[in-house]
Amino acid sequence: MADSNINIPLLISLLEDSGEESDDMGEETMTVLMGAECSLPLELKAKILDYTESVVPFYDDESFRRKFRMSKGTFHILSQYLKDLPEFSYDHPGGKEHVSVEKQLLMTLWYLGSCDTIDKIGDRFGISTSSVIRCRNRVLAAVNRHLKQRFIVWPNAQKIPEVVASLNRGMFFPGIIGALHGSHIEIKKPAAHGNSYINRKGFASLQVQAVCTDNMMFTHIFTGYPGSCHDARILRNSDLWQIGQILCGENHIIADAAYPIRKWILTPYRDNGHLNASQRKFNKYLSSCRVVIERAFALLKGRFRRMKYIDTCVRTAVSIIMCSCIFHNICIVNHDAMNDFLEDANISNPVLNPICLQDNAEGVRKGDTIAAHLI
């Protein structure tokens, strides 16, 4: 029998932190905690009873943010968004007790922010694995259906000048409205057509094509294509290819050499060993401005560690990726601190795939004009 004087929720919180930060704890403190852990009932060691109600409230702001990958303030704002959605309205009487919106969101955030199995998450939140999956899928569907169009949006006419100014980096490279890039999200190899998902690095993945602004906010997301697809092919099959000129107007997106040059997409000069000074300067400035999309993907994967490997069917994986991108933007909108989630990005990754779309003469002329006037 556990000592009745033990504060179970507080003890669980301390034990969790001791596992993550044992180097910072004194030997005496660790001895006390280990002894107290031994006195816990067996059922509490397997499942954390009333974790949402009795443990989470004990977390300070930093502990909450470390575990759920966003601040308490951002979490409460997000939970308010969800409470107003039809997926979380329970009008029918009877049946099992409903899982609160807050608990469903906490479970989903824990799933996205960790590499824990569904079984472990079920034990933590004191519910069955089937309930974890059902709650996760409900949150994913609701967020993707209702919040995508609210938080992943192209800058409007009033916002465009501000976005362009922030990406110009001191007016060295004018007219940039966003940085474009693709990233691979590793997934479990699908049973059907599995080899088509194997990318050039030898693992199964889904491609994510994104455009972001200077603050790492995603303004366009397109995902779901297998990892074997070339970046340029994905662009050609995305809605961005159809509406890019309309969205950009006289401005342009910058990208790496895997993409074709258009009036609204500018890429580096291909280095044939004979670039002149203005062309080399063009490449330097473009690369400097384009780093932001690499950092945005690094932040996404650092905050939501599920992005490193998704062990679900392809359809659910696509939903997970999109929802994570929406949460990423919501955190940025709410000025949720991010530096500790930002992982090192590989910004010198060479383009290994051949260019499969020809450059556009109008786009080439635009690039030449900018290169000739760079300071």
Side-chain angles (χ1 to χ4, degrees):
M1 178 72 69
D3 186 344
S4 60
N5 292 323
I6 294 176
N7 186 326
I8 296 295
L10 181 58
L11 174 59
I12 292 172
S13 178
L14 289 171
L15 287 170
E16 286 180 326
D17 287 340
S18 71
E20 296 179 4
E21 303 175 348
S22 56
D23 291 342
D24 297 331
M25 283 200 169
E27 183 177 348
E28 182 178 351
T29 302
M30 285 299 298
T31 301
V32 172
L33 287 175
M34 290 172 65
E37 182 181 19
C38 292
S39 68
L40 283 173
L42 289 177
E43 64 271 17
L44 279 178
K45 294 179 184 179
K47 285 184 179 292
I48 302 179
L49 303 180
D50 297 326
Y51 174 70
T52 304
E53 299 79 12
S54 302
V55 179
V56 173
F58 280 89
Y59 292 149
D60 59 23
D61 289 343
E62 181 55 32
S63 295
F64 183 94
R65 186 169 169 275
R66 188 174 66 250
K67 296 175 188 302
F68 297 104
R69 320 309 284 176
M70 62 176 57
S71 68
K72 284 185 176 182
T74 303
F75 170 81
H76 289 308
I77 290 170
L78 182 52
S79 63
Q80 289 302 312
Y81 291 147
L82 297 185
K83 284 181 178 179
D84 295 332
L85 301 181
E87 287 82 356
F88 299 95
S89 62
Y90 303 109
D91 297 329
H92 53 282
K96 292 183 178 180
E97 181 180 356
H98 298 302
V99 180
S100 69
V101 173
E102 290 83 0
K103 187 170 184 175
Q104 293 186 63
L105 180 56
L106 286 171
M107 279 189 291
T108 304
L109 289 172
W110 191 283
Y111 173 82
L112 295 176
S114 74
C115 296
D116 281 356
T117 65
I118 295 294
D119 285 343
K120 285 186 176 180
I121 296 173
D123 286 346
R124 173 171 293 276
F125 288 89
I127 63 175
S128 66
T129 56
S130 61
S131 294
V132 172
I133 294 172
R134 186 164 53 251
C135 292
R136 178 202 66 186
N137 290 349
R138 182 181 295 119
V139 172
L140 294 177
V143 169
N144 290 336
R145 184 177 300 119
H146 300 285
L147 298 186
K148 178 185 176 183
Q149 64 269 29
R150 181 172 179 177
F151 289 101
I152 300 182
V153 295
W154 198 261
N156 58 31
Q158 291 73 35
K159 190 75 173 175
I160 285 177
E162 178 184 336
V163 171
V164 170
S166 67
L167 276 163
N168 279 349
R169 303 296 176 98
M171 301 304 292
F172 289 146
F173 201 120
I176 302 173
I177 198 173
L180 167 69
H181 193 46
S183 183
H184 290 270
I185 305 297
E186 186 173 0
I187 62 169
K188 179 177 69 175
K189 183 179 178 181
H193 311 291
N195 288 337
S196 67
Y197 289 86
I198 304 299
N199 60 38
R200 67 177 185 264
K201 294 187 177 180
F203 60 86
S205 66
L206 286 172
Q207 283 263 41
V208 185
Q209 174 187 282
V211 178
C212 80
T213 56
D214 192 53
N215 64 351
M216 294 185 281
M217 175 88 72
F218 293 126
T219 55
H220 188 274
I221 293 288
F222 182 75
T223 188
Y225 268 69
S228 62
C229 291
H230 189 283
D231 290 345
R233 180 186 171 192
I234 294 171
L235 172 62
R236 184 176 54 190
N237 286 280
S238 72
D239 60 326
L240 185 61
W241 183 254
Q242 304 301 324
I243 62 175
Q245 181 62 73
I246 298 172
L247 292 175
C248 293
E250 293 303 312
N251 297 305
H252 40 262
I253 296 167
I254 54 174
D256 64 25
Y259 295 95
I261 296 175
R262 290 295 185 272
K263 185 179 179 181
W264 56 278
I265 303 177
L266 297 183
T267 69
Y269 288 97
R270 278 86 190 193
D271 192 350
N272 55 9
H274 302 288
L275 297 182
N276 60 39
S278 64
Q279 290 170 334
R280 290 194 296 270
K281 187 175 291 186
F282 178 97
N283 284 0
K284 177 183 177 181
Y285 287 162
L286 186 147
S287 177
S288 176
C289 294
R290 200 183 61 81
V291 165
V292 65
I293 185 63
E294 303 277 4
R295 288 171 56 83
F297 277 127
L299 176 58
L300 174 71
K301 295 177 182 180
R303 187 188 292 271
F304 300 114
R305 290 174 288 192
R306 188 66 57 175
M307 296 298 96
K308 298 196 175 170
Y309 180 71
I310 303 178
D311 185 16
T312 67
C313 68
V314 170
R315 182 177 179 180
T316 302
V318 170
S319 184
I320 289 168
I321 293 168
M322 187 62 72
C323 183
S324 297
C325 292
I326 296 168
F327 285 169
H328 165 98
N329 275 11
I330 290 174
C331 288
I332 292 176
V333 167
N334 288 284
H335 309 289
D336 209 327
M338 60 187 71
N339 287 339
D340 50 339
F341 293 139
L342 186 60
E343 299 185 340
D344 290 336
N346 182 8
I347 60 176
S348 59
N349 190 30
V351 179
L352 301 180
N353 291 336
I355 305 302
C356 62
L357 287 180
Q358 293 184 346
D359 293 336
N360 171 270
E362 190 177 14
V364 172
R365 286 195 299 271
K366 185 178 185 181
D368 288 342
T369 301
I370 292 175
H373 291 86
L374 286 175
I375 302 173

